[in-house]
Amino acid sequence: MDADGDMQLGGPSWDVKVGRRDSTTASFRGANNNIPPPTSGLANLTSLFAAQGLSQKDMVALSGAHTIGQARCTNFRAHVYNDTNIDGTFARSRQSGCPRTSGSGDNNLAPLDLQTPTVFENNYYKNLVCKEGLLHSDQELFNGGATDAQVQSYISSQSTFFSDFVTGMIKMGDITPLTGSNGQIRKNCRRIN
C-alpha cells in the first residue's frame, strides 16, 4: 500500500506495511504525554522523540510535516508575543489574528507555512531560517543549536528532506505495533470495524 496523502500535495510517497493493527480506542493522556507541546525546546523535543526510538535527525525531518496544516492561536500566542527569536513583521502579522488575551480568539487558525500551506515541500525550513516558524517548537529547530545544519541541508536539497522524511515515517510506523488479538486491522482506516 502506498502512502499517497503527502504525494498528492507534492511530497514523497512510500510503501506502508499492510496488516498493521490499530487501537480501538484513543488515549488523550497518551497523546499529551507522547506528542511534544508547541512550547517545547530543542532538548525536550529530542528527548520525547528519543523515547519513541527516533533520532534527532528523524525529529527534524518529521517536523517538516508542518509544511502543511494550521495551528490554533493558543498554540502560537506565546511565541508571537513573547519570544525574541522571531521576525518582528512576521510576529505582528500573526498577532493580528491572535489577540494577546487568553480566551479571545483561541481557536483562530494560522497556517504553519505561510507561503505554501497546502503544498508539501521544504518551505517550512526556509521559514525557520527567516525566523518565521509559527510555533516555538518549530523555531527551536533553527535557533543556534545542534539542528541548524540539518535545517540548512533541507533548504539546499528538498530530495534529502523527502528521503529523510520517508525514513522517519517508516520508523514511526514501526513504534510499538499491536500484535496478537490486540487492536484490529481496519476495513476503513477512519473508523473502528
Side-chain angles (χ1 to χ4, degrees), residues 26-39:
S27 172
F28 185 74
R29 183 175 162 272
N32 282 337
N33 290 337
N34 295 320
I35 297 175
T39 55

Side-chain angles (χ1 to χ4, degrees), residues 9 16 32 46 50 64 69 86 90 93 101 103 109 140 154 158 165 174 178 181:
L9 299 175
V16 175
N32 282 337
T46 301
I86 187 170
F90 176 74
S93 73
T101 307
L109 298 174
E140 284 291 298
Y154 291 162
Q158 182 169 277
F165 182 82
D174 288 338
L178 298 174
S181 61

Side-chain angles (χ1 to χ4, degrees), residues 91-153:
R92 285 186 295 280
S93 73
R94 296 299 89 210
Q95 289 169 2
S96 68
C98 182
R100 183 184 291 269
T101 307
S102 183
S104 176
D106 286 358
N107 292 322
N108 292 354
L109 298 174
L112 290 161
D113 172 359
L114 192 59
Q115 287 75 29
T116 53
T118 60
V119 179
F120 195 99
E121 31 64 324
N122 64 348
N123 272 348
Y124 166 78
Y125 300 103
K126 295 175 185 178
N127 295 337
L128 299 182
V129 171
C130 295
K131 295 188 176 185
E132 295 179 351
L134 182 62
L135 305 177
H136 175 85
S137 56
D138 288 333
Q139 196 57 59
E140 284 291 298
L141 302 181
F142 191 84
N143 196 32
T147 56
D148 286 9
Q150 187 178 350
V151 168
Q152 290 280 16
S153 77

Side-chain angles (χ1 to χ4, degrees), residues 49 66 102 159 192:
F49 274 76
H66 286 184
S102 183
S159 63
I192 59 173

